[in-house]
Amino acid sequence: MSIVIESLRAIDIIHDHTDSEAIAALVPETPFYWGVDPTAPALHLGNLVPFMLLVRLARAGLRPVVLFGGATAAIGDPSGRSAERPLLEREQIAANIEKMSAQVEKIAERCGLSGVTFVNNGDWTDGVPMLEFLRDVGKHITVNYMLAKDSVKSRLGGDGLSFTEFSYMLLQAYDFWHLSTTMGVRLQIGGADQWGNITAGLELIRKKSPGVVAHAMSVPLLLDSQGRKFGKSTGGGSLWLDPTLSPPFRIHQYLLNTSDDDAVRYLHIFCLWEAEKLAAIIDAQRAAPQERVAQRALADEVVRIVHGDSGVEEARRSASVLFGGSFEGISDGALRNIFADVPSSTLSRAEVLGGSVVDLFVRAGVSPSKGEARRLIEGGGAYINNHRIEATGDQVREETLGRSFLVLRAGKKRYHLVELVG
């Protein structure tokens, strides 16, 4: 384990930790856990950072436990939030847990992990009388101790912090103590924003279970070279590890567009390759950065971990569309995701069918005038669904309208989506 700790430090996947020598001395098969609140129906790309730490620790011999916060999700974690989270119904939380657990199982399998234990803190929190909880847990954690935590201090101004949110730290601390008592868990891992909650668990274990020594480790909040949070799309939303929410193509493109330095850093964190293979990719990147070897290797491997080989193939085929590839074999849904961020307009099928392609480009707003549209076509720069328009007198045929939309292109990269109605 000591070698593992040093390797984790070397790839910058550790932000904070308690006594590293004591963590390194944990015996094989010692349980450790990572917790996630099911506040959405899917994990997001940022969750993959602590999960890869979980994988590396499991490969080193520790026994992984994944906790889903069936109880804590009903409260709402104030960490990293400027306002209180909307409260979720318990039925929604249960549905989210079912979906998340399926995702984690598949990702763990692709990382070569077996024997992951799943737990739900609702199983030991639901039904605990309030007075019993206050007597047995609340008395061990002082208000002064909680007020000193960043997750609390950052919310004391403005609208403040509800007592519901304030109690979150106690509930997470109780989770750590419960797992240490019932399963022998001796280490909790999580994001840097969870450090206050995690260490509150250490405090509770120290006071309620004298003689039991537990440990903590956190991963950093990954920011790219532009200071943007890792795993956020250009619109600011999360990239989800559910293909119905964020198709493989979106994650693949996000990683392909990372800077050289970020790509190399992310390769170390997310890719579980032998050192020789990793070094060869980095050397190739430095020798010919224009080839973007690191970005392509990173994008392929992360998508493979999340969605499997079929996800990588889908992402590559989708990407080829952006460079003039055929639409054949790609579903309407996949194409809509590919062109989700391009300008769009709506036209009726009746006004498009049989009409001239010149008129189509003008009506859609791709060309400002018929003259400009004709010049674009004559110059070989006008396309419908990635098929070049050969002549200015061409008309839109029935077979062109086989989808619920048309993709117009002017030049190499200027796309426009036309929604067809009626």
Side-chain angles (χ1 to χ4, degrees):
M1 274 293 292
S2 58
I3 296 175
V4 173
I5 297 297
E6 289 305 313
S7 67
L8 294 175
R9 284 194 183 120
I11 63 175
D12 287 334
I13 199 172
I14 298 179
H15 182 263
D16 273 314
H17 59 79
T18 50
D19 188 341
S20 59
E21 291 185 4
I23 295 174
L26 292 173
V27 299
E29 292 299 309
T30 297
F32 73 104
Y33 92 98
W34 168 57
V36 58
D37 277 345
T39 53
L43 297 170
H44 56 75
L45 194 57
N47 292 137
L48 208 57
V49 183
F51 186 80
M52 296 313 294
L53 174 59
L54 178 141
V55 171
R56 292 174 187 276
L57 292 174
R59 286 187 165 196
L62 301 185
R63 184 154 56 88
V65 176
V66 174
L67 178 149
F68 293 111
T72 43
I75 296 300
D77 183 4
S79 302
R81 303 281 295 189
S82 59
E84 188 166 6
R85 299 173 187 267
L87 296 180
L88 299 178
E89 297 296 331
R90 301 304 287 268
E91 293 79 10
Q92 183 62 60
I93 292 171
N96 290 348
I97 290 175
E98 184 177 357
K99 292 177 181 178
M100 278 188 172
S101 59
Q103 292 165 20
V104 172
E105 283 184 312
K106 290 178 181 178
I107 294 172
E109 182 180 346
R110 295 187 189 110
C111 291
L113 229 59
S114 60
V116 178
T117 301
F118 295 96
V119 296
N120 178 348
N121 61 16
D123 292 341
W124 59 81
T125 305
D126 289 354
V128 174
M130 182 179 68
L131 290 178
E132 180 180 319
F133 182 81
L134 292 175
R135 284 174 58 88
D136 293 347
V137 178
K139 70 174 183 178
H140 293 294
I141 306 293
T142 69
V143 171
N144 289 352
Y145 178 88
M146 297 173 72
L147 289 175
K149 299 295 185 180
D150 288 340
S151 60
V152 175
K153 284 195 297 185
S154 64
R155 291 285 302 281
L156 291 182
D159 294 335
L161 187 74
S162 72
F163 182 77
T164 300
E165 293 179 288
F166 190 59
S167 67
Y168 185 93
M169 188 184 301
L170 289 180
L171 291 170
Q172 187 167 328
Y174 183 61
D175 289 341
F176 200 173
W177 174 83
H178 176 85
L179 293 177
S180 74
T181 302
T182 59
M183 297 180 62
V185 167
R186 293 294 178 265
L187 169 67
Q188 181 182 174
I189 66 172
D193 61 335
Q194 291 296 307
W195 188 248
N197 294 329
I198 294 172
T199 52
L202 297 179
E203 180 75 359
L204 185 62
I205 292 170
R206 183 179 69 82
K207 290 185 175 179
K208 277 182 68 69
S209 301
V212 174
V213 180
H215 310 282
M217 185 181 292
S218 70
V219 298
L221 174 66
L222 283 192
L223 300 176
D224 65 19
S225 54
Q226 303 300 313
R228 296 170 299 210
K229 187 182 292 186
F230 174 79
K232 294 292 185 181
S233 67
T234 53
S238 294
L239 288 167
W240 302 101
L241 307 190
D242 181 330
T244 64
L245 300 176
S246 295
F249 164 77
R250 288 210 167 268
I251 294 177
H252 201 265
Q253 286 295 303
Y254 171 81
L255 295 169
L256 281 177
N257 290 326
T258 55
S259 70
D260 292 349
D261 289 342
D262 288 335
V264 170
R265 182 186 179 199
Y266 297 161
L267 279 172
H268 283 103
I269 292 173
F270 297 109
C271 301
L272 302 168
W273 298 323
E274 296 294 333
E276 293 78 9
K277 179 177 180 178
L278 192 57
I281 291 172
I282 294 172
D283 287 345
Q285 173 72 21
R286 289 170 177 161
Q290 73 279 3
E291 298 294 330
R292 302 184 73 75
V293 176
Q295 285 89 341
R296 287 189 284 109
L298 172 70
D300 283 356
E301 182 61 8
V302 171
V303 171
R304 187 197 67 79
I305 289 172
V306 175
H307 296 298
D309 292 334
S310 62
V312 178
E313 179 61 26
E314 179 186 331
R316 288 176 177 173
R317 287 174 57 233
S318 297
S320 73
V321 169
L322 288 175
F323 296 96
S326 171
F327 286 14
E328 187 175 353
I330 301 179
S331 68
D332 275 17
L335 285 170
R336 284 184 180 279
N337 280 304
I338 294 169
F339 297 107
D341 298 325
V342 307
S344 64
S345 57
T346 301
L347 295 173
S348 71
R349 287 178 179 274
E351 65 181 314
V352 171
L353 180 60
S356 74
V357 292
V358 169
D359 286 343
L360 173 60
F361 270 65
V362 175
R363 286 176 180 171
V366 177
S367 298
S369 67
K370 290 185 178 182
E372 287 292 334
R374 291 190 186 96
R375 282 189 286 275
L376 180 66
I377 294 169
E378 290 167 352
Y383 298 79
I384 298 178
N385 294 350
N386 276 354
H387 292 290
R388 179 182 288 170
I389 301 170
E390 299 296 339
T392 57
D394 284 354
Q395 295 179 322
V396 181
R397 300 184 179 90
E398 180 72 44
E399 57 266 28
T400 307
L401 305 180
R403 298 181 185 270
S404 58
F405 55 86
L406 295 173
V407 178
L408 309 185
R409 174 156 63 97
K412 291 184 177 180
K413 294 183 178 180
R414 188 158 64 90
Y415 286 95
H416 185 98
L417 189 73
V418 177
E419 296 280 353
L420 299 173
V421 296

